[in-house]
Amino acid sequence: MELAKRLKLRHFAQYIWTHYLAGSLPNRCLLCHQSLSADKSGICSVCLQACLYRTPICLGCGKSMLIQIDYCGECQKQAPIKVIAPCSYHQGLGPWIAAIKYQRQLAALPVLCEALAERIRQLEQQGLVTFPQAILPVPLHPKRLRQRGFNQAWLIAKELSHSLNLPLVDNSLRRIQDTKPQAGLTGAQRRRNLYDAFELESEFTYQRIALIDDVVTTGTTIAEISRLFEARFVQVQVWCLARAEAPGLLDDLDVI
């Protein structure tokens, strides 16, 4: 209980620190270095638009499509978990998203979160996704949280909670194993690494939730977490700042 209180205070401090830090940085675009207006920070609108998805994207695998429906032909066979992201990790914004986690460079966080929120709104208006009842950040193990000092997924979830007026639930899903970092592992190694790494409290009452993370790569983390929710018949979708899809998926259009 005492640890939970300390972590909640830490999360609050993270949020204050994020906005303070973002406001104290030079007000220039991180990509083109042009000056930004006083009410903007991180990335200018021109650079942002250049890095966002330019074609309809399959919500299952991230493949380019001719028209925006939920799944490409291949994904329609299995209807995988829907992953909503505003951009590809490989098309310009990847280094700045990585810098949030690894270098504590948070200036781009608000504008990227708003791009994600706008993407969610668009898909909801098109009837391709349904707003969840609550959003849950992918948790860090307490040891990793102490080492890093913040959970980037929680910071993203806090921004989205405010933008979309959705409750943020950060005390029901826990990471109970201090696993190795996923970067550099093969698919099989990722699955073994995360097996039974998470725990969901017994009294979980929501039926539709969105998991929040910074990047989705192979989907191993969300698959392991989703297994816990699906066992309780909870509908899961995933919201992230970017998707690191398999090579070539954005190059070939799927004919519907």
Side-chain angles (χ1 to χ4, degrees):
M1 182 64 68
E2 186 62 30
L3 177 60
K5 290 181 179 179
R6 290 201 301 269
L7 291 179
K8 274 188 171 293
L9 289 173
R10 182 187 293 270
H11 280 321
F12 178 74
Q14 291 167 6
Y15 184 63
I16 299 299
W17 177 64
T18 299
H19 287 270
Y20 172 78
L21 179 60
S24 67
L25 291 173
N27 202 26
R28 293 182 179 276
C29 174
L30 294 169
L31 278 74
C32 69
H33 307 297
Q34 294 297 310
S35 296
L36 299 174
S37 59
D39 61 335
K40 302 292 183 180
S41 66
I43 300 172
C44 72
S45 59
V46 174
C47 289
L48 180 65
Q49 289 301 317
C51 295
L52 298 182
Y53 284 129
R54 302 176 189 175
T55 64
I57 298 297
C58 173
L59 302 184
C61 66
K63 184 177 183 178
S64 293
M65 302 191 297
L66 290 174
I67 60 174
Q68 186 64 71
I69 59 176
D70 47 4
Y71 295 125
C72 66
E74 189 64 28
C75 286
Q76 286 179 10
K77 300 175 184 178
Q78 296 182 339
I81 296 171
K82 292 181 179 180
V83 178
I84 291 88
C87 64
S88 169
Y89 188 82
H90 305 301
Q91 294 190 331
L93 294 176
W96 302 110
I97 295 173
I100 294 172
K101 180 193 302 187
Y102 298 115
Q103 300 174 26
R104 303 187 182 188
Q105 295 183 9
L106 307 177
L109 185 66
V111 68
L112 293 176
C113 288
E114 183 51 40
L116 172 55
E118 182 58 28
R119 171 74 168 159
I120 295 164
R121 293 188 193 101
Q122 291 174 353
L123 293 173
E124 193 274 336
Q125 290 172 1
Q126 295 171 355
L128 299 178
V129 299
T130 301
F131 276 125
Q133 297 166 313
I135 59 178
L136 287 79
V138 172
L140 290 177
H141 188 273
K143 180 181 177 181
R144 185 69 55 84
L145 182 58
R146 288 193 297 269
Q147 292 172 341
R148 185 177 296 170
F150 68 100
N151 178 4
Q152 72 282 353
W154 187 92
L155 296 177
I156 297 166
K158 185 64 177 179
E159 293 279 349
L160 294 175
S161 175
H162 176 74
S163 296
L164 300 173
N165 193 29
L166 292 169
L168 191 167
V169 178
D170 60 3
N171 58 358
S172 296
L173 179 65
R174 293 175 289 275
R175 194 164 194 148
I176 57 176
Q177 292 187 28
D178 184 19
T179 57
K180 298 177 181 178
Q182 292 285 85
L185 299 181
T186 66
Q189 289 171 335
R190 285 171 180 255
R191 289 188 291 273
R192 288 195 298 268
N193 189 43
L194 289 180
Y195 184 73
D196 281 345
F198 300 93
E199 179 181 72
L200 180 62
E201 69 173 9
S202 58
E203 300 298 327
F204 190 81
T205 59
Y206 297 101
Q207 293 301 306
R208 298 192 316 276
I209 63 102
L211 290 175
I212 311 300
D213 210 351
D214 55 345
V215 179
V216 169
T217 306
T218 63
T220 306
T221 300
I222 62 174
E224 181 63 24
I225 295 175
S226 296
R227 185 171 62 87
L228 299 176
F229 287 103
E230 290 170 353
R232 311 234 193 131
F233 305 100
V234 178
Q235 183 187 76
V236 178
Q237 57 184 295
V238 179
W239 298 351
C240 57
L241 297 184
R243 182 167 196 160
E245 65 284 307
L249 283 180
L250 293 180
D251 299 331
D252 300 320
L253 287 178
D254 187 29
V255 179
I256 303 300

